[in-house]
Amino acid sequence: MDEQERAERVAKGRRQAEWLASRDVAAVAVTFVDTSGICRVKGVPVSVFDRISGWGVGATPVFDAFLLDDSIADTSVANPSGDLRLLPDLSRVVPLSAQPGWAWAPADRYTQDGKPHPGCSRLLASRVVDRLAESGITAKAAFEVEWVLFRGPADSDPEPFGIGPAYGMNRVIEVSDFAVELLRTLSAQGVAVQQFHPEYAPGQLELSVAPESPVAAADTAVLVRSTIRAVAARRGLAVSFSPSVQAGGVGNGGHVHLSLARNGQPLFSGGEGRFGLTTDAESFMAGIVERLPALLAVGAPSVASYLRLLPSHWAGAYGCWGLENREAAVRLVTGSVGEQTRAANFEVKCVDQSANPYLLMAALLASGLSGLEQRTTLPDPVHGDPASLSDEQRTARNIARLPERLAAAVDAFAADKVLTETFGPELTETILAVRHAEIEKFADASPEEVVAVTRWRH
Ligand code: GLU
Ligand code: MG
């Protein structure tokens, strides 16, 4: 980053600060997401936002090695010496309606000499988006957000709030005021909500948003989750986004929807392939399907993720794809006849919200890109729940269970050239160190103990 760029950022930051002050904002929460999926923050008063916009706010590189319980993994690449600069993205500054006086901005992390920090997940995601653009392709993405709402406080034995039937109107009645306040708050913050509904588990709710460019979609996932928590907190309610909220129960997914276009032309409809897929769309999806086990080290990155990723829990525990199949890890959505050009996309279901959304987006796009480059083809689609087939039938059809433990996913990631080359040696080492340390931490823990530590963290 040169002097002129810094000066332009400072000038733009000054204009933003004036606008924020006129909206009664006193402070900006500048956030990034760490390796174990926790959103970390530095707050800055609006009075210094101009300088921060150009020079950033300091943060230790050791955050990269934080575990979900705030202990720190032992790694040579992230240590307490040195300083990183969090530079807010000035195009994504949002006043927070449920936290009056606060605004939010996602940050990119740079070194003190103005170079991109090799461990910055948001910059990594932007670089992969640029690589995709070099192949003439633009992607759109959206993260679905599931959570369980509890009566507060956030203690060890919380009581779900909204216990009516799954997908039931009764539950909407129970959470009616909370839901309306949430939808109004998100709308005021510029988030385009598309759907809100009660989910399967007691107290569980879901919200989906319109697709955006990939980095913006990851930003929105961060904003939506902090907004849900803030709206709930104002009502004395507690929120869990944890993959597993109650050992043995249905968990929270963090499904990712993706679609592609080449020169503005959608690639998931109107093609010659199965269900209207174009060759590009098939190869891209196939690049993801073939490396699902490795992707889980990024997309289902906590020990608790594997308490959720169970067959017949709509979590996508089998490494296959299918048309509108909610038990396949990858679900093709074609949309209704007549709106397919606009609506067709695919959903990666096996991932959850302990994932850093920027890392996950980078990993998914890099996998898809590799599929495109290799002209990879998809295996046969799977119809119905693979768990209802016998072992022999699944083997004959090549339907493999995805890793049942984090360690297996981490081994697959370490061996995956596409992902480790995309992430680079430093980020790869950090991810491996954090995952191994969390595996070690929970080596002797019961599912209940894992859930207790994880429940309120993400
Ligand atoms: N809660 C399920 C999961 O863990 C997903 C339910 C759905 O299909 O929306 O992913
Ligand atoms: Mg859902």
Side-chain angles (χ1 to χ4, degrees):
M1 191 171 312
D2 59 24
E3 244 171 77
Q4 189 183 341
E5 199 179 330
R6 292 229 197 250
E8 280 166 12
R9 279 180 183 252
V10 171
K12 194 166 176 203
R14 187 168 303 128
R15 290 195 294 277
Q16 291 264 1
E18 284 163 9
W19 172 70
L20 290 171
S22 77
R23 305 209 27 179
D24 222 17
V25 169
V28 184
V30 181
T31 67
F32 66 99
V33 182
D34 73 12
T35 318
S36 67
I38 309 262
C39 181
R40 310 270 176 191
V41 64
K42 286 289 179 92
V44 293
V46 163
S47 56
V48 300
F49 192 65
D50 54 348
R51 180 168 51 80
I52 294 305
S53 299
W55 298 94
V57 55
T60 163
V62 85
F63 280 129
D64 284 337
F66 266 45
L67 309 188
L68 88 168
D69 66 347
D70 299 339
S71 57
I72 299 173
D74 194 13
T75 155
S76 62
V77 281
N79 67 68
S81 307
D83 191 41
L84 294 172
R85 312 302 302 174
L86 308 182
L87 266 80
D89 182 337
L90 297 176
S91 64
R92 195 69 207 254
V93 183
V94 180
L96 296 174
S97 310
Q99 291 169 259
W102 281 94
W104 164 82
D108 291 320
R109 293 188 297 158
Y110 286 85
T111 61
Q112 281 175 313
D113 52 5
K115 297 202 170 61
H117 168 47
C120 178
S121 55
R122 193 169 185 272
L123 287 172
L124 172 70
S126 300
R127 284 197 299 275
V128 182
V129 170
D130 290 345
R131 272 178 52 209
L132 206 54
E134 283 162 23
S135 313
I137 292 201
T138 48
K140 285 215 163 171
F143 287 82
E144 288 182 4
V145 177
E146 292 188 333
W147 72 98
V148 178
L149 195 60
F150 293 95
R151 293 182 196 283
D155 59 16
S156 59
D157 188 21
E159 186 189 340
F161 182 83
I163 55 168
Y167 310 96
M169 182 61 190
N170 286 5
R171 186 148 355 138
V172 170
I173 296 168
E174 291 174 281
V175 304
S176 195
D177 291 348
F178 163 81
V180 164
E181 187 182 337
L182 175 61
L183 295 175
R184 288 201 171 121
T185 304
L186 288 169
S187 167
Q189 292 175 178
V191 174
V193 175
Q194 294 208 316
Q195 187 177 308
F196 166 85
H197 67 264
E199 259 291 340
Y200 198 87
Q204 195 176 31
L205 301 167
E206 174 176 334
L207 191 139
S208 46
V209 297
E212 303 169 83
S213 63
V215 177
D219 289 338
T220 297
V222 172
L223 177 61
V224 166
R225 277 155 60 179
S226 60
T227 304
I228 291 169
R229 201 183 290 287
V231 171
R234 285 158 76 88
R235 297 173 173 272
L237 302 172
V239 167
S240 176
F241 298 101
S242 172
S244 181
V245 178
Q246 207 73 56
V250 168
N252 291 314
H255 310 171
V256 181
H257 288 261
L258 282 166
S259 63
L260 304 175
R262 191 189 277 284
N263 304 322
Q265 203 53 37
L267 296 178
F268 276 84
S269 60
E272 301 286 294
R274 285 163 285 191
F275 315 117
L277 286 174
T278 63
T279 316
D280 282 338
E282 166 160 359
S283 299
F284 190 91
M285 246 173 91
I288 289 175
V289 171
E290 73 173 355
R291 57 175 47 76
L292 284 169
L295 279 166
L296 287 186
V298 181
S302 63
V303 172
S305 297
Y306 298 82
L307 300 173
R308 160 189 173 259
L309 195 55
L310 301 172
S312 309
H313 280 55
W314 292 0
Y318 287 94
C320 58
W321 73 284
L323 176 65
E324 292 290 7
N325 186 350
R326 287 177 171 76
E327 284 298 346
V330 174
R331 166 189 170 217
L332 178 65
V333 181
T334 55
S336 303
V337 176
E339 67 155 6
Q340 289 166 334
T341 332
R342 184 178 63 78
N345 70 86
F346 71 101
E347 177 186 35
V348 182
K349 288 187 65 89
C350 49
V351 294
D352 66 61
Q353 295 166 95
S354 56
N356 171 324
Y358 305 99
L359 282 184
L360 176 54
M361 192 49 72
L364 289 171
L365 296 179
S367 302
L369 194 53
S370 154
L372 270 176
E373 287 162 359
Q374 307 295 320
R375 309 313 288 162
T376 313
T377 53
L378 282 168
D380 286 338
V382 171
H383 189 70
D385 187 352
S388 64
L389 303 174
S390 67
D391 285 348
E392 293 71 34
Q393 286 170 316
R394 278 194 297 268
T395 310
R397 295 173 59 182
N398 238 331
I399 305 174
R401 176 82 161 83
L402 288 175
E404 294 180 44
R405 287 176 315 112
L406 178 57
V410 172
D411 288 349
F413 172 81
D416 190 293
K417 277 227 152 29
V418 167
L419 293 179
T420 54
E421 278 171 16
T422 300
F423 282 39
E426 291 174 50
L427 192 44
T428 298
E429 187 182 329
T430 309
I431 289 171
L432 293 177
V434 167
R435 301 291 179 266
H436 285 140
E438 290 194 358
I439 290 167
E440 174 78 12
K441 177 169 290 290
F442 291 117
D444 301 317
S446 66
E448 289 73 19
E449 286 164 341
V450 172
V451 170
V453 174
T454 314
R455 190 186 277 123
W456 308 116
R457 302 303 293 175
H458 294 96

